[in-house]
Amino acid sequence: MSDWLHAQLDAHIRTAQEAKPLLDQVRAVGAVLIDAFERGGTLYTLGNGGSAADAQHFTGEVIGHYKRDRRPLPAVTLTTDATVSTCIANDYAFEDIFSRQVQALARPADVVAAFTTSGRSANIVNALTAARANGATTLLFVGGDGGPSLPLADHAFIVPSSETPRIQELHTFLLHALSEILDAWAAGEEPA
């Protein structure tokens, strides 16, 4: 068991080291999110499975707080309304569960952030397509080569791995780094 644990930690450390170039994007994406909030926009997050949990995590950090007591910021996770999701999946298709919500809600001042390890899920591709059509800014948290979602992203964090656990671990780090920037801005401070 110990060798397996060491191998997992070593793989995590290796991926984190290889992901260092993504740090240059964190401040730029943080500025995009701040601009959206200053214009009265909302952050919409989405994902499937573990990526849905990451989307909810990001929304929680944005509405609640990361480290500081500060004003809440507008964010909605599109995976959390079971009635809407099952209605759309039943009456249309599972591939439409996010895009239909994005069509109804997202506007030009908004940011639509998709979490996906592969970038290949049809419902993610459709959501980003709908966001673009509505004029919203698109943000992609992805791994591998980004899949067909990548060309639909205005901003993309591509974790240099094809292993789902490593990708999701780095997505958590990145959403925390963005949360630090948003927290500090909303509190009128500089990021730690």
Side-chain angles (χ1 to χ4, degrees), residues 5-187:
L5 289 173
H6 284 279
Q8 292 295 304
L9 182 58
D10 289 344
H12 171 79
I13 291 168
R14 227 179 2 264
T15 303
Q17 290 288 343
E18 291 170 5
K20 280 187 176 180
L22 297 177
L23 298 179
D24 294 337
Q25 294 175 248
V26 171
R27 285 193 191 279
V29 171
V32 167
L33 290 166
I34 288 168
D35 180 64
F37 293 133
E38 286 178 337
R39 293 186 299 137
T42 298
L43 170 65
Y44 293 98
T45 67
L46 55 102
N48 295 299
S51 294
D54 291 337
Q56 286 181 256
H57 184 169
F58 195 22
T59 297
E61 302 287 16
V62 172
I63 293 176
H65 70 90
Y66 180 58
K67 292 181 181 176
R68 298 164 183 82
D69 184 24
R70 45 92 176 156
R71 67 187 167 97
L73 301 171
V76 176
T77 302
L78 301 181
T79 60
T80 56
D81 189 328
T83 303
V84 169
S85 294
T86 57
C87 170
I88 295 168
N90 185 61
D91 295 347
Y92 297 92
F94 185 75
E95 290 79 12
D96 299 326
I97 64 168
F98 301 133
S99 60
R100 191 132 175 106
Q101 293 180 76
V102 169
Q103 287 170 348
L105 301 170
R107 300 294 173 255
D110 300 332
V111 175
V112 175
F115 288 81
T116 172
T117 56
S118 70
R120 289 175 165 59
S121 299
N123 59 9
I124 301 293
V125 172
N126 292 347
L128 294 173
T129 300
R132 279 261 175 102
N134 280 17
T137 300
T138 54
L139 171 59
L140 180 65
F141 292 79
V142 71
D145 64 5
S149 294
L150 187 58
L152 300 167
D154 295 313
H155 305 277
F157 291 114
I158 307 169
V159 175
S161 177
S162 58
E163 293 182 46
T164 297
R166 303 298 80 84
I167 295 165
Q168 290 176 335
E169 289 159 5
L170 268 291
H171 285 175
T172 299
F173 171 80
L174 291 164
L175 75 84
H176 279 164
L178 290 170
S179 296
E180 169 63 23
I181 290 170
L182 295 175
D183 238 28
W185 167 74

